[in-house]
Amino acid sequence: MSSGSRTLTAMYAAAALWLSFCTVRTWGTVPLWTTFAMALASLAPVIGVVRESVIADERRAVAVLREREGRRAAWRDEAAAALAQAEVEAACCERWWTSCATEHDPACAHRTSRGTTA
């Protein structure tokens, strides 16, 4: 729960307690309908406290999902980099590519002509 949510929760709790106190103090001294209205109003901040706790739970769940997705994305990036590295290592030399497969660099491991004839 963030500090803003904690502050709101404390304010909601204080408002609910104050309205409950006022409801008890006015019981029997004012018309009955106003006492019931005050009691109903004291339940509204309770709904706010529940709402803040639900929002905090959802934020935690989203943070966990973002972390998991970040790990998956990092894994995909590593896998793509490894695949690209393997492709580069498996590729033949530069001279072979630029000479239309007629000759290889002296350091080329393949050292074979890669013509289209079988």
Side-chain angles (χ1 to χ4, degrees):
M1 194 178 277
S2 68
S3 60
S5 293
R6 286 189 194 107
T7 303
L8 278 175
T9 300
M11 289 172 59
Y12 286 143
L17 288 173
W18 176 252
L19 289 170
S20 299
F21 173 75
C22 291
T23 301
V24 171
R25 294 288 292 176
T26 60
W27 188 267
T29 59
V30 295
L32 192 59
W33 68 271
T34 57
T35 304
F36 285 130
M38 182 90 59
L40 185 63
S42 68
L43 293 178
V46 174
I47 294 170
V49 169
V50 171
R51 179 181 167 272
E52 287 300 319
S53 65
V54 167
I55 289 173
D57 291 342
E58 288 176 356
R59 284 182 179 166
R60 270 192 296 275
V62 167
V64 167
L65 291 175
R66 282 184 180 167
E67 181 181 344
R68 285 182 190 164
E69 185 57 34
R71 279 189 257 138
R72 285 187 197 131
W75 179 82
R76 283 193 299 263
D77 290 345
E78 289 174 9
L83 180 64
Q85 183 66 30
E87 290 292 326
V88 167
E89 289 173 358
C92 198
C93 62
E94 181 66 26
R95 187 178 296 163
W96 183 82
W97 286 101
T98 58
S99 66
C100 296
T102 58
E103 56 185 88
H104 291 267
D105 285 334
C108 179
H110 298 285
R111 287 261 177 145
T112 57
S113 178
R114 290 193 180 189
T116 56
T117 60

